[in-house]
């Protein structure tokens, strides 16, 4: 029997078109994906909602929370078998991870997007949307958390990241790879996530800053954040989780004020650990009270800390 899928549009290149006069990619007045809906209905009964029509750099945590509320409202009214969300690719991984942490549905929530706008040659929007609907309608997608489907691959919201500014194979899960693939004939999963964190929140009431750590970094910017009203900070540290000595002094100051300091590695692969005991080394930072958020990128660790603070 055909599954019932809720399809929510939020904007992004998948809903945009190339303007031949100006040479720019622009928002379309009518969503070009709407023209394809009959083809997509072959795979599931689709209920469409236009939530926003925004490029994804305009998406904020408040918008993500609206999206979560919309899903809850629709699910309460008529339980769907799956949800598909179209989204700009720039911040797609952040919205996906936000929904991973703030929802606890067993049904699949699948995000997709496109790297080429609707009227460009080789446009990947309709194909990715079709794949996302097929994944959301697959029995095996249940219980795997929030998923991201593009370019025939299925990734978890936790691990996926945009790795290339323009390639259609931009979405990758460094270290782990995709958890499944989409083929013409079927949806294949070969891995499943082991656990899931649930952080339900009502409102975005806190602010979290993030810095990428670099050689010779001073503590001056870091120490301004509490005066600016920030409630916590995420640092993308060096290597296994180290920072320059001057920064360690600033970190100590923030911890003394009671601000949480989270450390991840700025390396693309691997995790932050408390190995080095020198001034600014990971062992010293951990002893000081810095929390290591292993395996998350800076932007996801920032969202997680924000949600933890908002749910307190
Ligand atoms: N800049 C666009 C956005 O994120 C890129 C895309 O959608 O692929 O909205």
């Amino acid at each position: 029997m055909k599954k019932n899928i809720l399809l929510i549009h939020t904007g992004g290149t998948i809903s945009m078109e190339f303007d031949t006069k100006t040479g720019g990619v622009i928002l379309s007045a009518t969503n070009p994906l709407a023209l394809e809906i009959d083809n997509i209905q072959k795979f599931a009964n689709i209920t469409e909602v236009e939530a926003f029509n925004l490029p994804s750099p305009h998406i904020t945590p408040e918008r993500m929370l609206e999206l979560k509320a919309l899903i809850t409202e629709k699910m309460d009214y008529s339980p769907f078998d799956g949800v598909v969300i179209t989204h700009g690719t720039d911040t797609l991984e952040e919205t996906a991870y936000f929904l991973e942490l703030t929802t606890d549905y067993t049904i699949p929530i699948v995000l997709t997007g496109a790297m080429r706008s609707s009227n460009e040659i080789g446009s990947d929007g309709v194909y990715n949307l079709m794949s996302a609907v097929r994944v959301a309608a697959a029995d095996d997608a249940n219980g795997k958390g929030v998923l991201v489907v593009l370019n025939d691959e299925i990734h978890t919201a936790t691990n996926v990241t945009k790795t290339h500014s323009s390639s259609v194979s931009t979405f990758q899960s460094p270290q782990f790879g995709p958890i499944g693939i989409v083929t013409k004939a079927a949806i294949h999963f070969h891995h499943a996530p082991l656990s899931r964190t649930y952080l339900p929140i009502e409102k975005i009431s806190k602010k979290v800053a993030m810095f990428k750590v670099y050689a010779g970094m001073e503590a001056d910017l870091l120490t301004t954040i509490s005066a600016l009203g920030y409630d916590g900070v995420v640092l993308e540290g060096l290597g296994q989780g180290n920072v320059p000595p001057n920064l360690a002094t600033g970190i100590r100051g923030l911890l003394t004020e009671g601000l949480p300091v989270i450390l991840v590695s700025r390396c693309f692969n691997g995790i932050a650990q408390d190995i080095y005991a020198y001034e600014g080394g990971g062992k010293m930072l951990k002893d000081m009270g810095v929390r290591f958020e292993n395996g998350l990128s800076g932007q996801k660790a920032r969202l997680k800390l924000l949600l933890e603070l908002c749910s307190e």
Side-chain angles (χ1 to χ4, degrees), residues 149-288:
V149 171
L150 279 98
N151 200 37
D152 285 335
E153 291 183 344
I154 309 167
H155 296 266
T156 63
T158 306
N159 294 325
V160 76
T161 192
K162 186 172 181 177
T163 63
H164 193 288
S165 57
S166 55
S167 163
V168 292
S169 63
T170 182
F171 282 94
Q172 303 288 328
S173 296
Q175 315 197 71
F176 307 112
I179 64 162
I181 56 165
V182 176
T183 68
K184 272 199 190 346
I187 305 300
H188 301 271
F189 283 94
H190 45 73
H191 286 94
L194 291 175
S195 61
R196 184 166 181 186
T197 305
Y198 181 42
L199 295 168
I201 57 153
E202 298 295 322
K203 158 166 190 267
I204 307 291
S205 51
K206 303 284 180 181
K207 279 169 76 172
V208 174
M210 181 174 95
F211 294 97
K212 188 189 277 271
V213 176
Y214 50 86
M217 187 172 177
E218 301 284 344
D220 48 4
L221 286 177
L222 190 66
T223 50
T224 58
I225 67 159
S226 60
L228 292 171
Y230 284 88
D231 304 287
V233 63
V234 171
L235 298 172
E236 282 190 10
L238 308 170
Q240 295 206 57
N242 311 305
V243 303
N246 284 344
L247 203 60
T249 313
I251 293 173
R252 193 177 284 112
L254 290 182
L255 291 167
T256 309
E257 283 181 61
L259 263 75
V261 179
I262 308 294
L263 193 81
V264 298
S265 175
R266 73 174 194 181
C267 294
F268 196 61
N269 284 302
I271 58 174
Q273 302 176 82
D274 51 333
I275 302 294
Y276 292 96
Y278 53 74
E279 181 71 12
K283 185 154 175 27
M284 185 195 146
L285 298 176
K286 186 140 194 189
D287 291 345
M288 260 160 57

Side-chain angles (χ1 to χ4, degrees), residues 36-94:
E36 300 294 337
I37 209 65
D38 289 347
N39 286 328
I40 310 269
Q41 297 271 16
K42 278 187 232 144
F43 302 99
N45 301 316
I46 307 286
T47 303
E48 253 185 312
V49 182
E50 293 273 348
F52 330 119
N53 190 10
L54 293 173
S56 75
H58 295 200
I59 299 276
T60 58
E62 286 78 8
R63 292 292 194 176
M64 296 174 195
L65 189 58
E66 278 178 52
L67 203 51
K68 186 249 164 192
L70 177 67
I71 296 169
T72 311
E73 182 201 310
K74 296 285 175 195
M75 284 294 289
D76 287 350
Y77 182 69
S78 136
F80 287 91
D81 302 306
V83 179
V84 171
I85 301 170
T86 63
H87 198 288
T89 59
D90 291 351
T91 62
L92 186 149
E93 69 203 60
E94 282 165 85

